[in-house]
Amino acid sequence: MAAVGSGGSVGAAPGMAVVAPLPALTSRLPVRRAAAKRAASGPQPAAPEQKRARSGTASSQPPGRAPLRALSVPAAPGPGPPRKALTVTAAPRTGKGNCGAAPVPAEAPVGGAHRRRAAWDLKGQLSDLRAALGNQKEKAQRLDGENRQLREQLRELQEALQERERRVEELDGCVSTLSTELEKHRQESELRGQQLEELREADRELSARLEAAEAQLHQTKAALAQSDSEVAELRLRAESQARRLREQEELHEAEVAELRAQNQTQSQRLQEKEEQQHALEMERRRLHNLVQELKGNIRVFCRVRPLLAAEKEKQKGMEHLHFPPQDNKTLVLLREEESHIGRERKEDLKYDFSFDRVFRPSASQEEVFEEISLLVQSALDGYHVCIFAYGQTGSGKTYTMEGPDALDPERRGMIPRAVRQVFQGAQELAEKGWQYRFSASFLEIYNESLRDLLGARPECGELEIRRVSSASEELHVPNLRRIPVASEDEVLQLLQTATANRSVARTALNDHSSRSHSIFQLRIDGTNAARELRCSSVLSLVDLAGSERLDKSQSQGKRLRETQSINTSLSSLGLVIMALAKKEPHIPYRNSKLTYLLQNSLGGNAKMLMFVNISPLEENFSESLNSLRFASKVNECVVGTAHANRK
Ligand code: ADP
Ligand code: MG
């Protein structure tokens, strides 16, 4: 008998079973391990008995199978759970199927030491051998069966093992999922922990604040209690005051009622006064107009300018001009002329002219304006007013109308003075319920064409005089600037613009300013909203072109045309004025641009005033005479007083 250490390969002599101790069944791979171990240790050299056994037995197993054979499983009869059958024990067993290590005496007739046949007993020996052989065969068969069973068990075990491995893998998967989740939960719980800590901190803070607020509330309540008592005290005081006030109020109400009654009578009186004032204002207008009409709706003033410093060198005094003392309406022109009777005798030629007013050279601008200021008032009252300056070039027309400096209080001309009076008058009339709006335009007429002095607009083409509408007789100049003005200063600015524009033209057109008419117009619109009254008028101040007669034989080309157009317009102005004075049915406005433009401002109730400006120079005698004759004609047809006498 030979025993091999556990796990070693088993070589068993025939009839001997070697049982290696089995690893516990809970071990996962008992068989594999054994095989692996064997494989690791390599094929063991077979013991001599093994060799013998192999050659002596029919069953030959490959070395790898040896451990299986080493397993000894009780051949449990009948079906039982395979696992139970696996219960292997190394305890010696008896009886058939025992493959334990213990010798079985009854079955060991061969080679045993019990009984030996005598050498001669060949028959006996043979029968022993046969019996032994039969035993061995039977045993081999039994072992085969066991072997099959064991293989089956092994397969089942391997399947179970695979199942377990699969299960283990699944569980591994579950474990990793669970660990991930666990990690997530751990992080979440950490976060929650932080949040909880924050909440706790907030809670602590809120508690502190609550405490503070409670303390404050407490204080406030105390203060409130205090102020409650104060309020109660004040209420008492207020009630007593209210009582006193009620008493006073009753007194005041009585006073107010009385005052109201007084007020009513006063406002009635005021209304009456206003009515009276309005009636007086209207009466003033009527009377003012009457005075103007009595003075003549067409008036002529003569103004003789002083000798200029340079002129005084050429001419001493003004012998040819005589101003009768104590008479401010007459001017006499004197000239010595050779008598046609005899060479040595000279005759004084005397020309008397009477006008509404004659201003001597010493007359100041203020004196002159005094006489026309009533006309300016008429313009505010709603009458058209036209003031012309007529005379030869250099006679003082521009000086009279504009003055050398609009800002010089002494020397400013009629235009700035009239403008000032208009704005002052408008202010005074505002107290009587009149509101005024003003707009100004300034243009010149040269060679019968119009030019805007407040800024030409070449893109609009030539300025034309047109009817406002086909149904209306009213005229206007469509593209002429008419600038709204609200103060004297604004108008003065426009006058400066016009002066600048004119001086540009002067250099370009060789003193055409004296060859053109310049017309400043201030449109005045007044409303008395309370009484639904309106008035509108135009104040026109015209600086006419020089009236001197140029020697026609010398006038050529441009000069001739200029002269013709000036003559035409001045004579048609005279004709229009005369026709108006005589109330003729046809007024020849259309004969010149000047009269056509002024058509709306002449005639009807319009007031006209003509300055005839006279040069003090003797060399201008005949021009002065012409001017005075023209002015006389205009004057004569209205008042019939002016006349020229030639003695
Ligand atoms: P007109 O416009 O008729 O051609 P101006 O008004 O230009 O004439 O006058 C010619 C010159 O005489 C200017 O130098 C002007 O200052 C001066 N002049 C005109 N009238 C007076 C006056 N009343 N007092 C002082 N200088 C005057
Ligand atoms: Mg002039």
Side-chain angles (χ1 to χ4, degrees):
M1 186 174 167
V4 186
S6 69
S9 63
V10 178
M16 295 178 81
V18 180
V19 177
L22 265 173
L25 267 176
T26 48
S27 169
R28 300 174 88 182
L29 287 167
V31 180
R32 277 187 197 164
R33 269 191 202 155
K37 202 159 190 181
R38 199 173 55 237
S41 56
Q44 300 284 326
E49 288 89 344
Q50 282 172 316
K51 283 178 194 166
R52 247 184 285 126
R54 257 180 243 142
S55 56
T57 54
S59 69
S60 74
Q61 291 282 342
R65 299 261 179 180
L68 288 177
R69 268 204 281 139
L71 285 169
S72 167
V73 180
R83 293 196 191 271
K84 262 195 180 161
L86 277 170
T87 310
V88 179
T89 170
R93 299 271 301 260
T94 52
K96 266 190 168 178
N98 180 13
C99 59
V104 183
E107 292 177 355
V110 183
H114 313 284
R115 191 163 53 108
R116 238 171 241 263
R117 296 232 187 224
W120 50 265
D121 193 4
L122 291 170
K123 224 175 164 179
Q125 285 177 13
L126 186 66
S127 82
D128 282 352
L129 284 170
R130 275 196 190 124
L133 183 68
N135 272 347
Q136 289 300 329
K137 274 185 185 161
E138 199 181 315
K139 206 184 239 179
Q141 276 172 359
R142 203 174 63 236
L143 284 170
D144 266 357
E146 279 174 11
N147 194 18
R148 269 194 304 275
Q149 267 185 5
L150 284 169
R151 274 173 205 272
E152 183 59 28
Q153 283 172 10
L154 179 67
R155 194 184 48 78
E156 283 171 2
L157 279 171
Q158 279 173 342
E159 277 173 11
L161 182 67
Q162 277 170 3
E163 175 63 26
R164 281 189 180 220
E165 280 174 349
R166 215 173 28 246
R167 181 91 186 108
V168 165
E169 271 169 26
E170 273 174 25
L171 287 171
D172 279 352
C174 283
V175 166
S176 87
T177 318
L178 286 171
S179 351
T180 318
E181 270 176 27
L182 184 67
E183 180 58 25
K184 214 161 79 191
H185 283 304
R186 201 183 53 72
Q187 283 173 357
E188 266 177 27
S189 117
E190 253 175 40
L191 194 68
R192 293 264 153 79
Q194 275 174 10
Q195 285 173 350
L196 188 66
E197 192 46 44
E198 281 169 16
L199 284 172
R200 267 191 201 123
E201 183 57 35
D203 182 42
R204 275 195 293 279
E205 202 181 306
L206 283 173
S207 305
R209 275 161 62 182
L210 185 66
E211 258 175 43
E214 272 170 359
Q216 214 178 350
L217 183 69
H218 188 69
Q219 278 181 1
T220 313
K221 269 184 186 157
L224 194 68
Q226 164 115 27
S227 48
D228 272 353
S229 71
E230 283 171 12
V231 164
E233 200 181 315
L234 285 173
R235 199 170 274 150
L236 280 176
R237 266 196 253 164
E239 274 167 12
S240 77
Q241 275 192 353
R243 263 198 307 280
R244 257 181 288 155
L245 283 173
R246 264 199 297 278
E247 287 161 15
Q248 280 180 4
E249 198 183 309
E250 278 161 20
L251 279 175
H252 284 158
E253 265 170 18
E255 276 174 36
V256 165
E258 202 178 315
L259 286 171
R260 219 169 252 153
Q262 282 178 12
N263 192 24
Q264 210 170 350
T265 33
Q266 291 219 335
S267 46
Q268 266 169 7
R269 268 191 228 153
L270 193 70
Q271 214 172 343
E272 281 165 21
K273 285 259 182 254
E274 266 175 18
E275 288 295 332
Q276 275 175 13
Q277 200 186 28
H278 177 68
L280 283 172
E281 167 63 17
M282 297 318 279
E283 183 62 7
R284 181 199 64 73
R285 286 188 180 205
R286 195 184 67 79
L287 290 173
H288 182 86
N289 191 44
L290 195 64
V291 170
Q292 299 307 308
E293 274 171 3
L294 286 173
K295 284 191 172 186
N297 275 349
I298 302 171
R299 266 178 275 173
V300 181
F301 291 174
C302 172
R303 186 180 196 187
V304 182
R305 74 159 171 85
L307 280 169
L308 303 177
E311 292 166 346
K312 281 180 185 156
E313 289 170 14
K314 287 195 282 176
Q315 181 183 316
K316 309 276 177 244
M318 294 181 217
E319 307 295 311
H320 65 295
L321 293 172
H322 179 63
F323 302 92
Q326 276 84 48
D327 180 5
N328 59 9
K329 297 193 176 195
T330 309
L331 172 68
V332 183
L333 256 67
L334 300 160
R335 187 155 71 173
E336 275 186 357
E337 226 172 53
E338 269 186 28
S339 164
H340 50 273
I341 305 164
R343 278 186 163 226
E344 65 286 348
R345 284 203 42 202
K346 288 191 176 172
E347 210 173 307
D348 271 356
L349 287 177
K350 197 172 164 227
Y351 305 88
D352 278 11
F353 294 97
S354 279
F355 298 104
D356 293 286
R357 185 70 207 260
V358 174
F359 294 102
R360 299 173 189 211
S362 58
S364 67
Q365 298 277 61
E366 196 183 341
E367 268 177 78
V368 176
F369 184 70
E370 251 173 46
E371 284 297 314
I372 66 160
S373 73
L374 292 177
L375 279 185
V376 175
Q377 183 62 49
S378 286
L380 272 177
D381 292 348
Y383 297 96
H384 292 309
V385 174
C386 260
I387 299 173
F388 300 94
Y390 178 95
Q392 72 173 114
T393 302
S395 60
K397 298 183 297 293
T398 306
Y399 185 96
T400 301
M401 295 309 269
E402 293 176 28
D405 184 356
L407 298 176
D408 181 342
E410 294 285 312
R411 300 191 298 159
R412 55 215 305 266
M414 301 306 116
I415 297 177
R417 283 169 199 268
V419 165
R420 174 170 289 182
Q421 196 194 327
V422 162
F423 281 102
Q424 278 175 355
Q427 235 169 16
E428 283 162 24
L429 282 169
E431 289 162 19
K432 293 174 184 163
W434 286 90
Q435 294 297 319
Y436 282 92
R437 280 182 299 126
F438 305 95
S439 59
S441 64
F442 210 150
L443 63 91
E444 66 177 4
I445 302 175
Y446 174 74
N447 269 355
E448 290 300 277
S449 63
L450 279 62
R451 187 166 156 260
D452 194 338
L453 290 176
L454 298 182
R457 283 185 284 197
E459 72 277 7
C460 297
E462 225 175 89
L463 293 175
E464 291 292 346
I465 304 162
R466 299 213 187 286
R467 285 185 175 191
V468 171
S469 72
S470 56
S472 163
E473 280 296 310
E474 207 183 324
L475 300 171
H476 72 144
V477 182
N479 289 315
L480 180 73
R481 282 176 207 266
R482 220 171 80 176
I483 296 170
V485 283
S487 70
E488 184 190 344
D489 283 348
E490 283 178 35
V491 184
L492 294 185
Q493 291 235 324
L494 296 182
L495 295 181
Q496 277 180 3
T497 309
T499 308
N501 281 333
R502 228 162 3 152
S503 65
V504 171
R506 189 171 298 151
T507 43
L509 290 166
N510 187 25
D511 193 23
H512 97 168
S513 76
S514 68
R515 320 300 300 148
S516 65
H517 312 294
S518 80
I519 301 155
F520 168 77
Q521 289 189 305
L522 186 69
R523 198 188 159 88
I524 304 168
D525 289 295
T527 46
N528 188 329
R531 300 184 187 275
E532 294 183 356
L533 292 173
R534 268 169 193 283
C535 65
S536 87
S537 58
V538 179
L539 171 64
S540 308
L541 296 137
V542 187
D543 186 351
L544 291 168
S547 61
E548 61 273 17
R549 316 269 150 177
L550 293 177
D551 189 347
K552 278 192 185 159
S553 60
Q554 284 173 17
S555 291
Q556 287 174 344
K558 206 179 89 182
R559 269 288 196 232
L560 182 64
R561 224 183 119 214
E562 269 179 2
T563 311
Q564 281 167 348
S565 63
I566 292 168
N567 289 345
T568 309
S569 56
L570 291 178
S571 59
S572 54
L573 177 65
L575 289 172
V576 163
I577 293 173
M578 285 184 264
L580 282 170
K582 290 179 192 158
K583 297 200 171 25
E584 283 176 7
H586 175 71
I587 315 288
Y589 291 115
R590 285 183 161 236
N591 284 3
S592 75
K593 286 272 166 69
L594 175 72
T595 47
Y596 192 31
L597 180 79
L598 294 171
Q599 179 175 326
N600 297 144
S601 302
L602 303 173
N605 269 327
K607 321 279 172 228
M608 276 168 276
L609 186 137
M610 183 174 282
F611 280 101
V612 55
N613 288 90
I614 299 295
S615 159
L617 294 177
E618 207 166 351
E619 64 185 46
N620 290 331
F621 190 94
S622 62
E623 281 302 336
S624 298
L625 197 59
N626 275 334
S627 295
L628 291 165
R629 279 177 176 156
F630 175 85
S632 294
K633 248 196 214 164
V634 168
N635 206 28
E636 160 187 287
C637 59
V638 186
V639 289
T641 51
H643 54 268
N645 289 321
R646 195 172 170 197
K647 278 189 187 170

